[in-house]
Amino acid sequence: VRDELLERTDTALAELDRHLDGLVVQVGGMIRDIRTFVPKRSTTGQKMAFLQLEDLTGSVEVVVFTRVFDECIELMRQDSVVIIRGKVESQGEDASEREDQEGERPKILAEAVYALDDPRLLGWKRNSVVSIAIEATEIGQLASLKKALQQHRGDVPVVLAISAEDRVDEITLGDEFCVNPSPALERAVHGLLGEGRYAVTTHRVKSPPRENRRGGAQAYASARG
């Protein structure tokens, strides 16, 4: 299911790092481990869960609070392949927690969990831009580059960063040159222009403050304890 995951996600698990703290990502993979429980301080008896999600690049812990858990309970099975949209969190609620968690990998606080074939994902598009760096002296390669782009048509815009002496001009190509980012396209660009000329930049949004944030933090802390 590698190709389906690539089409429905914007972040590989190996990319998760502190620089994404507070941002919303869409990741996917297999649930390798799941622990469901009722938080100690719960007054309703509703469950939450810790998931260990794994893709071909790495793994991450996902926290599924009660509201989201109730919406996706049918998907909470070991070895299920799921898509998760959520907030990256690499820091605790206060300074002492941040100090205690120093060196830990970020986790994801799930905002939604989908089956791989969920129809709601069909209209989703990765908010990305492909950047290609080219020297002004390499303009003769544009015809070959145009052909390579047209062989990998998609819906992601392409920006050419043209370097000339002490300046760099960025040109956004027309819709007819939008591409589907892939390893094959990266290899084609590198074959024409050399290594390090191709990059995919994903634009991510900041997650709004979670309602009842302190209650969620207490549930998380009590479960850990």
Side-chain angles (χ1 to χ4, degrees), residues 141-153 173 176-177 179 192:
Q141 295 280 21
L142 285 181
S144 297
L145 181 60
K146 174 183 175 181
K147 183 178 179 180
L149 297 178
Q150 291 177 332
Q151 289 174 342
H152 298 83
R153 292 293 301 274
L173 303 184
E176 66 272 23
F177 294 107
V179 297
L192 289 171

Short mmCIF file of all heavy atoms in Angstrom, two decimals, residues 141-153 173 176-177 179 192:
data_model
loop_
_atom_site.label_atom_id
_atom_site.label_comp_id
_atom_site.label_asym_id
_atom_site.label_seq_id
_atom_site.Cartn_x
_atom_site.Cartn_y
_atom_site.Cartn_z
N GLN A 141 19.03 23.44 -20.95
CA GLN A 141 18.42 22.20 -20.47
C GLN A 141 16.90 22.34 -20.30
O GLN A 141 16.24 21.35 -19.96
CB GLN A 141 19.03 21.80 -19.12
CG GLN A 141 20.50 21.45 -19.18
CD GLN A 141 20.71 20.03 -19.69
OE1 GLN A 141 19.85 19.45 -20.34
NE2 GLN A 141 21.86 19.46 -19.38
N LEU A 142 16.36 23.53 -20.54
CA LEU A 142 14.94 23.74 -20.27
C LEU A 142 14.04 22.84 -21.10
O LEU A 142 13.00 22.38 -20.63
CB LEU A 142 14.58 25.21 -20.50
CG LEU A 142 15.04 26.18 -19.41
CD1 LEU A 142 14.61 27.61 -19.74
CD2 LEU A 142 14.50 25.76 -18.05
N ALA A 143 14.41 22.59 -22.36
CA ALA A 143 13.57 21.74 -23.21
C ALA A 143 13.48 20.33 -22.64
O ALA A 143 12.39 19.73 -22.57
CB ALA A 143 14.13 21.71 -24.63
N SER A 144 14.62 19.80 -22.19
CA SER A 144 14.62 18.46 -21.60
C SER A 144 13.89 18.45 -20.26
O SER A 144 13.17 17.49 -19.93
CB SER A 144 16.06 17.98 -21.40
OG SER A 144 16.73 17.86 -22.64
N LEU A 145 14.04 19.54 -19.50
CA LEU A 145 13.35 19.63 -18.23
C LEU A 145 11.84 19.70 -18.44
O LEU A 145 11.06 19.05 -17.72
CB LEU A 145 13.83 20.86 -17.45
CG LEU A 145 13.20 21.09 -16.08
CD1 LEU A 145 13.47 19.90 -15.15
CD2 LEU A 145 13.74 22.38 -15.45
N LYS A 146 11.41 20.45 -19.44
CA LYS A 146 9.99 20.54 -19.78
C LYS A 146 9.42 19.16 -20.09
O LYS A 146 8.34 18.79 -19.62
CB LYS A 146 9.80 21.48 -20.97
CG LYS A 146 8.37 21.52 -21.50
CD LYS A 146 8.29 22.42 -22.73
CE LYS A 146 6.90 22.39 -23.34
NZ LYS A 146 6.81 23.25 -24.55
N LYS A 147 10.17 18.38 -20.85
CA LYS A 147 9.72 17.04 -21.20
C LYS A 147 9.60 16.16 -19.96
O LYS A 147 8.62 15.41 -19.80
CB LYS A 147 10.69 16.41 -22.19
CG LYS A 147 10.29 15.03 -22.68
CD LYS A 147 11.28 14.51 -23.71
CE LYS A 147 10.88 13.11 -24.18
NZ LYS A 147 11.84 12.59 -25.19
N ALA A 148 10.57 16.27 -19.06
CA ALA A 148 10.53 15.47 -17.83
C ALA A 148 9.32 15.83 -16.98
O ALA A 148 8.65 14.96 -16.42
CB ALA A 148 11.82 15.68 -17.04
N LEU A 149 9.02 17.13 -16.87
CA LEU A 149 7.87 17.56 -16.08
C LEU A 149 6.57 17.04 -16.68
O LEU A 149 5.67 16.59 -15.96
CB LEU A 149 7.84 19.08 -15.98
CG LEU A 149 9.02 19.75 -15.26
CD1 LEU A 149 8.87 21.26 -15.28
CD2 LEU A 149 9.17 19.24 -13.83
N GLN A 150 6.47 17.09 -17.99
CA GLN A 150 5.23 16.66 -18.65
C GLN A 150 5.04 15.14 -18.56
O GLN A 150 3.92 14.65 -18.71
CB GLN A 150 5.23 17.12 -20.10
CG GLN A 150 5.10 18.64 -20.22
CD GLN A 150 5.16 19.14 -21.66
OE1 GLN A 150 5.78 18.51 -22.52
NE2 GLN A 150 4.51 20.26 -21.91
N GLN A 151 6.12 14.41 -18.33
CA GLN A 151 6.01 12.96 -18.16
C GLN A 151 5.57 12.58 -16.76
O GLN A 151 5.30 11.41 -16.50
CB GLN A 151 7.35 12.30 -18.48
CG GLN A 151 7.71 12.31 -19.96
CD GLN A 151 9.11 11.76 -20.22
OE1 GLN A 151 9.93 11.68 -19.30
NE2 GLN A 151 9.37 11.39 -21.46
N HIS A 152 5.50 13.57 -15.87
CA HIS A 152 5.09 13.32 -14.48
C HIS A 152 3.99 14.30 -14.08
O HIS A 152 4.05 14.94 -13.04
CB HIS A 152 6.29 13.43 -13.53
CG HIS A 152 7.37 12.43 -13.80
ND1 HIS A 152 8.34 12.61 -14.75
CD2 HIS A 152 7.60 11.20 -13.23
CE1 HIS A 152 9.15 11.55 -14.75
NE2 HIS A 152 8.73 10.70 -13.85
N ARG A 153 2.99 14.42 -14.94
CA ARG A 153 1.92 15.39 -14.72
C ARG A 153 1.16 15.09 -13.42
O ARG A 153 0.94 13.95 -13.04
CB ARG A 153 0.94 15.37 -15.89
CG ARG A 153 1.51 15.91 -17.20
CD ARG A 153 1.80 17.39 -17.10
NE ARG A 153 0.63 18.18 -16.79
CZ ARG A 153 -0.24 18.63 -17.69
NH1 ARG A 153 -0.04 18.37 -18.97
NH2 ARG A 153 -1.28 19.33 -17.33
N LEU A 173 5.87 28.13 -12.59
CA LEU A 173 5.43 27.68 -13.91
C LEU A 173 3.91 27.57 -13.96
O LEU A 173 3.24 27.46 -12.94
CB LEU A 173 6.07 26.33 -14.24
CG LEU A 173 7.61 26.30 -14.22
CD1 LEU A 173 8.11 24.93 -14.67
CD2 LEU A 173 8.19 27.39 -15.13
N GLU A 176 0.05 23.92 -16.67
CA GLU A 176 0.37 22.81 -17.57
C GLU A 176 1.65 22.09 -17.19
O GLU A 176 1.96 21.01 -17.72
CB GLU A 176 0.46 23.30 -19.02
CG GLU A 176 1.61 24.25 -19.31
CD GLU A 176 1.27 25.71 -19.07
OE1 GLU A 176 0.33 25.97 -18.28
OE2 GLU A 176 1.92 26.58 -19.68
N PHE A 177 2.42 22.67 -16.24
CA PHE A 177 3.66 22.05 -15.79
C PHE A 177 3.56 21.51 -14.36
O PHE A 177 4.58 21.15 -13.76
CB PHE A 177 4.82 23.04 -15.89
CG PHE A 177 5.15 23.44 -17.30
CD1 PHE A 177 4.81 24.70 -17.77
CD2 PHE A 177 5.76 22.54 -18.16
CE1 PHE A 177 5.10 25.06 -19.07
CE2 PHE A 177 6.05 22.89 -19.46
CZ PHE A 177 5.72 24.16 -19.93
N VAL A 179 3.08 18.89 -11.45
CA VAL A 179 3.62 17.53 -11.46
C VAL A 179 3.10 16.69 -10.30
O VAL A 179 2.49 17.21 -9.36
CB VAL A 179 5.16 17.55 -11.40
CG1 VAL A 179 5.75 18.25 -12.61
CG2 VAL A 179 5.64 18.22 -10.10
N LEU A 192 19.43 15.46 -15.18
CA LEU A 192 19.62 16.61 -16.06
C LEU A 192 20.52 17.68 -15.45
O LEU A 192 21.37 18.26 -16.14
CB LEU A 192 18.27 17.23 -16.40
CG LEU A 192 17.35 16.44 -17.33
CD1 LEU A 192 15.97 17.09 -17.39
CD2 LEU A 192 17.96 16.37 -18.74
#
